[in-house]
Amino acid sequence: MSEQQLLLEAHAVAKHFGGVKALHDVSLTIRRGEIYGLIGPNGAGKTTFFNCLTGLYRNEGGHFIFDGVRLQADAPHKAAAVGIARTFQNIRLFGNMTALENVMVGRHLRTRAGVVGAIIRNPATRAEEAGIARRAEELLHYVGIHARAHDYAKHLSYGDQRRLEIARALATEPKLLALDEPAAGMNGTETEALRVLVEGICRDGVTVLLIEHDVKLVMGLCGRVAVLDYGEKICEDVPAVVQKDARVVEAYLGGSVA
Amino acid sequence: MDTLLQQLINGLTLGAVYALVALGYTMVYGIIGLINFAHGEVVMIGTMVAFTVIVSLAGSGMPPLLVLGIGLLVSVVVCMVLGWALERVAYRPLRHAPRLTPLITAIGMSIVLQNVAMIIWGRNYITFPPMIHKQIYDIGGASFTNVQVAIVSLAAVVMLGLIYLVHRTRIGMAMRATAQNPHVASLMGVDINRVIAMAFIIGSALGAVAGCMVGSYYEIAHYQMGFMLGLKAFTAAVLGGIGNLAGAMAGGLLLGVIEALGAGYIGDLTGDILGSHYQDIFAFIVLIIVLIFRPSGLFGERTGDRA
Amino acid sequence: MNGRARPSSSRQRHWLGFLLLGVVLLAVPFVAALGGQAWVRIANFAILYVFLALGLNIVVGYAGLLDLGYVAFYAVGAYAYALLASPHFGIHLPFWVILPLGAGLACIFGVLLGAPTLKLRGDYLAIVTLGFGEIVRIFMNNLNAPVNITNGAQGITLIDPIRIGDFSFAQTSSFLGVTLSGPQKYYFLLVALALLVIMVNIRLQDSRIGRAWQAIREDEIAAKACGINTRNIKLLAFAMGASFGGIAGGVFSAMQGFVSPESFSLMESITILAMVVLGGMGHIPGVILGAILLTGLPEALRYGIEPLQRALFGRMIVDPESLRMLVFGLALVLVMRFRPAGLWPSSQRRRELAESAG
């Protein structure tokens, strides 16, 4: 596999809370343009891995190489700046801002205007502001909630909030979009629509890292899957192989997938 | 005269007072995350009440120690009621309001209490009648008084009592549980309202004790005395790691000593450019330095952001 | 597509409102003067507080930072003006040099104080700013020895008024047939400054920076995940608030002709904060209302309490000053109890698509 094909390499990432080992030397590689699934039972360390990757936690051991460069993500905004965007397991939107404004905040990173521009409203600032609004609207269209653009985020339905969070993440122009259980709490129809959306995002050139409980969704969507159990990676392969892996079946799938 | 030892003794006395007041801040903050701005005023009211009781009993022929004891007791009871009322009337209705709201209320209550005190006790300094015959002891060139001994030992006894209360009694357990996680604590059957009320009541009682100490140490009182005292005690609580009882005690003692040493040596240190009237800035400078290098206080645990 | 666009009739009503407001603003100094120049001065202070409160609103209302030592920046501006335009050092620089200088100095203090503390939890910032306010006051009080810099508790007197060429703001002069007293001139200067800070507030709210502030207020972690460098953005708000405080201080110095540490107590910081919170944090009309109410209320009480007590009891029972503060404190408590979001909080904002499409 050539170096250019790899977007993210995690090398022996370790993290513990007090005496509890949450991540134990987890290594994995994500290729450009794929949808990569990260699954595992509750408390297996999936979200902890996410938080280390996105700079919310500092990992005690190991490191990440993102896009060929060693990640110095000791702060979330730096991770976003190099091109890693994320959503949260328990949706974190700006509730008292409209859907459009939420996505406009996502454009912060890729725009420049400062205080002086805001006050004098020179042509450059106005053009940038218009660009931000235009791009935000496009993204709302893209995820299919443009009709709700001017509603407060807190008033959106659960499924729409998930979509809005994805739109906001996409606004930062990520190379890697990390989704933390996006299908949690969705019904069958909503999950199917989400599947179509994620496939579209991937087709449009954004690599996706997906943490999911919904095994069926992961198996149908992901090119490759890694399984975490008690903070260790126990398997990494294409879904068909993972599904048959004895350790995985024992640890997680058990009887839930026949 | 040995200045170092002398300043240490004075600092320890002052620190014992700061520690008691700091406990009141830290208990309330630890449980509901509120900076109870009015706490300094509760301490002031404690001093004033003790003053009134002592003055009115001074001529009654009772033994001076009994008079002091009654003064302390009445002051503690009044402050407990005051603390309870503050929580019940001012803060409890705002428990789910935006974060700044209860803080403004606390500032408002602080102003109210100060001015009520001014209406009752006047705007001038009032002098405590000397009830104990002051004795001065010498050790190694420094001197201390029996009042100082009484202050430090009373503070030690009260703090030991608090530690016992928090670690060995049901209500103490409930307080610790609530401080950890109010939601889970309430699921486990802890009456949160009662716990919060207790934090205010106990904190106010400690404040009243501290108020009486200040009064008998400096022998004067003033309706604005609570402000600076409260501010420094809060600084002490932050210094020790806010929400942490042992931290508040250590922070209080440390701040007292730092202040005393600072005031004693600032002239020498700055070539007499700054004099001892800068005493009050030490607390804040120490606070800022500590917060920069150990944001969670000297004894606090690091708390990280959570996703 | 968008049923929320403002109908044009409402827009016309808006303009009518502005016109009316303009007329009222023009009339105030003349109407107030009928009751004596003291009333014009009270109006001036109300507007100075509007300016200060809106400066603090950027910090508290927009960025959600609790600043309990705002008056320190006000003091820095005031003393900068006093020292550089008075006989104290014999320096008499023009106002257009000192005001920006004072703003810059206050800004530097803001950055020095904010940079290390803004990454901490909000309550710590509150206490650090409070402590800083006290440090500044203590220094002003004591920096009269061994070198007399601030003249200690006596303060600095004979400060130059604002002067443009021969036109001094301190004297009465005629203007196109209209005679304006000193306070009346300052009134118009202050109104101009207040309009400036209102414009800054409005424009910031609807900008990239303003959105970042709101995002931080709503959910700091999510804001970070969106790539916002939260510490820098908060520092920006803090420094801006400080600069406005510095400007206000300079104008205060010039207007009063006298400064002393007494004007910069913690109570002053609390009053300004109360204006912001009481009025309705982050909502410009609310903050303006808060500032005017809290300047007016104590004055009204000052003039009302004494006659009221005499009428009721035939003599003074309670010292009017402490009763005034008592009412102030109670007002804070009651408003927070019954209107926790302030007297005039922002209603659900209606957005025009046309506006955002620019």
Side-chain angles (χ1 to χ4, degrees):
Chain A
M1 201 187 310
S2 88
E3 281 288 313
Q4 275 88 35
Q5 278 182 300
L6 293 180
L7 182 62
L8 177 78
E9 298 165 57
H11 290 289
V13 173
K15 171 83 194 166
H16 55 77
F17 296 108
V20 183
K21 270 219 158 85
L23 288 177
H24 186 73
D25 295 347
V26 174
S27 299
L28 50 83
T29 52
I30 298 178
R31 297 173 198 157
R32 259 174 232 285
E34 74 174 338
I35 302 179
Y36 188 97
L38 188 61
I39 62 173
N42 267 330
K46 301 177 304 262
T47 297
T48 305
F49 181 81
F50 242 55
N51 287 343
C52 289
L53 173 66
T54 53
L56 214 51
Y57 293 163
R58 214 173 281 207
N59 39 309
E60 280 101 18
H63 63 275
F64 295 96
I65 293 179
F66 183 75
D67 211 11
V69 182
R70 186 163 168 158
L71 205 57
Q72 298 289 345
D74 49 355
H77 69 266
K78 290 185 189 163
V82 298
I84 303 173
R86 68 171 293 175
T87 65
F88 293 88
Q89 191 175 332
N90 46 338
I91 310 175
R92 300 188 84 131
L93 288 167
F94 309 121
N96 292 310
M97 298 172 88
T98 65
L100 186 69
E101 286 171 323
N102 267 271
V103 185
M104 287 169 85
V105 171
R107 294 298 298 154
H108 183 89
L109 192 55
R110 308 295 172 203
T111 43
R112 295 262 63 87
V115 166
V116 176
I119 294 169
I120 62 173
R121 289 207 178 154
N122 53 332
T125 306
R126 282 204 304 260
E128 185 185 276
E129 203 47 29
I132 291 172
R134 201 167 46 238
R135 181 75 189 124
E137 292 202 28
E138 283 167 15
L139 283 164
L140 287 177
H141 262 301
Y142 185 79
V143 301
I145 53 169
H146 189 259
R148 313 293 312 265
H150 296 277
D151 290 336
Y152 286 100
K154 64 182 177 194
H155 294 150
L156 297 187
S157 74
Y158 190 75
D160 286 352
Q161 289 193 353
R162 289 269 180 218
R163 286 166 174 276
L164 177 55
E165 222 189 0
I166 292 174
R168 189 181 68 186
L170 288 174
T172 66
E173 295 173 15
K175 295 183 179 121
L176 176 70
L177 175 65
L179 302 173
D180 196 347
E181 297 202 13
M186 284 188 170
N187 62 31
T189 346
E190 285 172 327
T191 308
E192 176 54 23
L194 178 76
R195 196 184 64 76
V196 173
L197 175 64
V198 173
E199 267 175 352
I201 290 170
C202 181
R203 223 177 10 251
D204 291 334
V206 180
T207 308
V208 177
L209 167 60
L210 180 71
I211 289 184
E212 218 4 285
H213 256 335
D214 188 331
V215 177
K216 220 159 60 183
L217 178 72
V218 172
M219 295 305 177
L221 197 55
C222 298
R224 290 185 313 135
V225 176
V227 187
L228 286 186
D229 191 27
Y230 292 110
E232 281 186 71
K233 187 179 83 173
I234 57 173
C235 181
E236 180 185 22
D237 216 316
V238 294
V241 176
V242 169
Q243 261 171 311
K244 295 197 176 74
D245 188 287
R247 291 185 66 186
V248 176
V249 173
E250 187 193 341
Y252 179 50
L253 300 176
S256 72
V257 171
Chain B
M1 199 162 95
D2 191 330
T3 328
L4 178 66
L5 189 59
Q6 187 63 58
Q7 298 298 355
L8 277 175
I9 292 171
N10 295 347
L12 216 60
T13 316
L14 201 56
V17 175
Y18 288 159
L20 285 184
V21 184
L23 283 168
Y25 280 105
T26 232
M27 284 171 76
V28 168
Y29 192 93
I31 291 177
I32 54 172
L34 167 75
I35 302 176
N36 179 18
F37 250 91
H39 188 56
E41 264 53 63
V42 172
V43 175
M44 175 270 295
I45 299 273
T47 315
M48 294 298 195
V49 168
F51 161 82
T52 302
V53 173
I54 291 170
V55 165
S56 52
L57 293 181
S60 68
M62 277 195 243
L65 270 180
L66 184 65
V67 172
L68 272 182
I70 295 174
L72 182 67
L73 197 71
V74 173
S75 149
V76 165
V77 171
V78 169
C79 285
M80 283 167 101
V81 173
L82 182 61
W84 173 82
L86 264 183
E87 194 274 326
R88 193 73 193 76
V89 177
Y91 301 141
R92 189 176 297 184
L94 302 177
R95 210 165 289 156
H96 302 290
R99 204 172 52 87
L100 279 183
T101 307
L103 196 74
I104 297 285
T105 301
I107 292 171
M109 286 313 302
S110 169
I111 296 171
V112 168
L113 288 177
Q114 251 190 45
N115 287 283
V116 167
M118 183 170 128
I119 290 169
I120 299 176
W121 286 285
R123 56 165 73 240
N124 297 321
Y125 281 89
I126 52 182
T127 332
F128 262 60
M131 294 304 292
I132 314 176
H133 178 66
K134 203 182 254 175
Q135 278 179 326
I136 299 172
Y137 310 95
D138 274 330
I139 45 159
S143 66
F144 60 94
T145 67
N146 50 351
V147 176
Q148 284 177 303
V149 174
I151 287 175
V152 174
S153 23
L154 181 59
V157 169
V158 170
M159 284 191 249
L160 285 174
L162 182 73
I163 291 171
Y164 175 82
L165 181 98
V166 169
H167 288 273
R168 290 275 179 276
T169 63
R170 270 181 68 85
I171 183 73
M173 213 101 81
M175 289 173 90
R176 282 187 299 145
T178 311
Q180 285 283 321
N181 187 333
H183 183 65
V184 173
S186 74
L187 289 179
M188 305 311 277
V190 172
D191 180 351
I192 303 287
N193 281 335
R194 204 168 86 90
V195 167
I196 295 172
M198 279 310 282
F200 273 88
I201 291 171
I202 297 170
S204 303
L206 299 176
V209 175
C212 295
M213 290 173 174
V214 178
S216 39
Y217 186 47
Y218 292 114
E219 295 176 355
I220 50 170
H222 187 241
Y223 76 98
Q224 282 178 331
M225 64 182 274
F227 167 67
M228 231 345 151
L229 183 62
L231 205 55
K232 286 182 183 167
F234 184 80
T235 301
V238 174
L239 198 62
I242 190 145
N244 178 334
L245 294 185
M249 299 178 195
L253 290 176
L254 198 62
L255 187 69
V257 170
I258 290 172
E259 234 183 58
L261 290 180
Y265 288 105
I266 186 168
D268 298 345
L269 285 175
T270 60
D272 284 324
I273 292 173
L274 302 179
S276 61
H277 33 255
Y278 287 96
Q279 183 185 354
D280 286 344
I281 68 172
F282 285 103
F284 304 119
I285 290 175
V286 167
L287 175 75
I288 292 173
I289 292 172
V290 167
L291 284 180
I292 292 169
F293 294 106
R294 271 202 67 97
S296 39
L298 293 175
F299 308 97
E301 280 179 24
R302 262 193 74 86
T303 48
D305 288 333
R306 292 204 147 252
Chain C
M1 183 182 203
N2 170 20
R4 298 175 189 85
R6 198 178 284 149
S8 65
S9 70
S10 138
R11 175 157 272 191
Q12 272 168 6
R13 238 182 299 141
H14 244 76
W15 281 112
L16 215 67
F18 279 128
L19 201 70
L20 200 71
L21 198 67
V23 172
V24 170
L25 278 177
L26 270 177
V28 163
F30 301 104
V31 175
L34 297 177
Q37 291 299 314
W39 284 100
V40 183
R41 287 202 184 86
I42 291 174
N44 285 356
F45 269 104
I47 297 168
L48 185 68
Y49 278 116
V50 166
F51 184 86
L52 273 169
L54 283 171
L56 183 62
N57 182 49
I58 296 173
V59 183
V60 181
Y62 287 177
L65 304 167
L66 186 53
D67 184 347
L68 288 179
Y70 191 57
V71 82
F73 305 116
Y74 182 47
V76 166
Y79 269 82
Y81 193 102
L83 295 176
L84 297 177
S86 72
H88 183 62
F89 287 148
I91 304 173
H92 296 277
L93 294 179
F95 80 97
W96 47 266
V97 172
I98 320 174
L99 280 188
L101 208 71
L105 202 63
C107 177
I108 290 170
F109 271 107
V111 170
L112 288 180
L113 187 65
T117 44
L118 280 172
K119 57 177 189 230
L120 307 174
R121 272 208 314 256
D123 305 297
Y124 285 152
L125 181 74
I127 205 75
V128 167
T129 49
L130 196 157
F132 176 69
E134 284 303 295
I135 291 176
V136 168
R137 199 178 53 82
I138 292 169
F139 270 103
M140 288 185 308
N141 242 324
N142 296 305
L143 274 183
N144 52 344
V147 184
N148 187 356
I149 300 173
T150 63
N151 207 25
Q154 281 88 46
I156 294 171
T157 51
L158 299 173
I159 300 167
D160 300 347
I162 289 180
R163 204 180 278 128
I164 306 170
D166 287 338
F167 182 82
S168 163
F169 276 76
Q171 293 147 10
T172 304
S173 57
S174 277
F175 223 36
L176 304 169
V178 185
T179 307
L180 288 178
S181 67
Q184 283 172 329
K185 287 185 203 162
Y186 275 112
Y187 171 87
F188 288 107
L189 177 73
L190 285 163
V191 166
L193 280 173
L195 289 177
L196 182 80
V197 74
I198 289 170
M199 188 194 81
V200 167
N201 266 266
I202 291 174
R203 293 205 155 177
L204 279 176
Q205 197 165 34
D206 256 331
S207 72
R208 171 175 174 267
I209 305 291
R211 279 191 302 273
W213 283 331
Q214 194 181 354
I216 291 173
R217 245 166 40 226
E218 296 268 332
D219 187 331
E220 188 159 348
I221 288 174
K224 282 181 185 166
C226 285
I228 295 171
N229 184 338
T230 51
R231 196 190 69 170
N232 286 0
I233 291 284
K234 285 182 189 173
L235 193 56
L236 186 64
F238 200 67
M240 282 192 72
S243 314
F244 280 117
I247 295 175
V251 176
F252 171 77
S253 253
M255 193 164 84
Q256 292 284 96
F258 165 70
V259 288
S260 75
E262 214 177 290
S263 307
F264 309 103
S265 64
L266 175 74
M267 198 53 222
E268 198 71 11
S269 282
I270 289 176
T271 309
I272 301 166
L273 179 71
M275 290 168 178
V276 177
V277 178
L278 217 69
M281 266 192 298
H283 188 227
I284 298 160
V287 174
I288 295 173
L289 175 75
I292 292 174
L293 269 184
L294 285 192
T295 324
L297 179 74
E299 297 302 329
L301 288 172
R302 198 201 305 275
Y303 289 99
I305 285 173
E306 212 183 309
L308 189 71
Q309 283 199 46
R310 289 198 195 285
L312 284 178
F313 309 109
R315 65 193 172 90
M316 293 293 285
I317 298 208
V318 179
D319 173 15
E321 177 61 19
S322 58
L323 200 59
R324 192 164 72 87
M325 290 309 293
L326 195 67
V327 172
F328 176 66
L330 275 178
L332 289 187
V333 174
L334 290 177
V335 171
M336 289 299 100
R337 171 72 182 80
F338 296 104
R339 295 197 64 102
L343 290 172
W344 191 358
S346 62
S347 58
Q348 303 247 319
R349 265 181 301 162
R350 291 167 300 174
R351 282 295 212 96
E352 293 179 47
L353 208 63
E355 195 178 299
S356 53

